[in-house]
Amino acid sequence: MNNEVSWILTAHLATAEPKVFEGLMVEMVKAVQQMQGDATAYVWYLSEDGQSCEIFTSFKDSNSAMLHLTWFSNTYAKQFMDTLHPTGMTVYGKPTQELRNALASLSPRYVQTVGGFAR
């Protein structure tokens, strides 16, 4: 297929204040949309009970994903971890070893594309 790399990060909300979660989400979505042109998707989902979140993120390649992780680490990591506790991650595509190393602390599950298409 191509070099696209995507992931879904699952997390429990660490705050009982919906406005804290919403503020972080709005700020991060806006920043990624404006500053990271190689991010092809960045979508946050909230469970009906408001207790858990899934974030779908897709990049044109592993290098773009690494740039996102560096930006995240330097800008939002503390605020994110104060608001959300990651519980799992699934990575799609063929990430480079460098990207795998960068994500290792999240113990992701890796799956490779074997067929299909996206429009």
Side-chain angles (χ1 to χ4, degrees), residues 69-117:
L69 291 176
T70 299
W71 166 83
F72 171 81
S73 177
N74 293 332
T75 311
Y76 284 102
K78 180 175 180 353
Q79 185 180 0
F80 186 93
M81 297 305 276
D82 288 346
T83 306
L84 297 163
H85 290 161
T87 59
M89 179 181 233
T90 301
V91 178
Y92 304 89
K94 295 181 182 176
T96 61
Q97 189 59 52
E98 178 186 25
L99 181 55
R100 285 174 176 258
N101 293 345
L103 297 172
S105 67
L106 295 167
S107 301
R109 177 177 153 246
Y110 291 94
V111 295
Q112 291 187 2
T113 305
V114 295
F117 67 92

Side-chain angles (χ1 to χ4, degrees), residues 20-99:
V20 172
F21 167 81
E22 185 178 338
L24 176 65
M25 180 270 304
V26 167
E27 190 175 326
M28 288 184 68
V29 167
K30 183 177 178 180
V32 170
Q33 188 173 27
Q34 290 178 348
M35 300 180 342
Q36 297 181 28
D38 289 339
T40 58
Y42 191 63
V43 183
W44 291 47
Y45 299 89
L46 185 62
S47 63
E48 287 183 351
D49 66 5
Q51 299 299 306
S52 63
C53 171
E54 294 188 4
I55 303 170
F56 173 71
T57 311
S58 185
F59 302 95
K60 78 171 198 167
D61 56 28
S62 289
N63 186 54
S64 301
M66 286 298 302
L67 291 172
H68 172 81
L69 291 176
T70 299
W71 166 83
F72 171 81
S73 177
N74 293 332
T75 311
Y76 284 102
K78 180 175 180 353
Q79 185 180 0
F80 186 93
M81 297 305 276
D82 288 346
T83 306
L84 297 163
H85 290 161
T87 59
M89 179 181 233
T90 301
V91 178
Y92 304 89
K94 295 181 182 176
T96 61
Q97 189 59 52
E98 178 186 25
L99 181 55

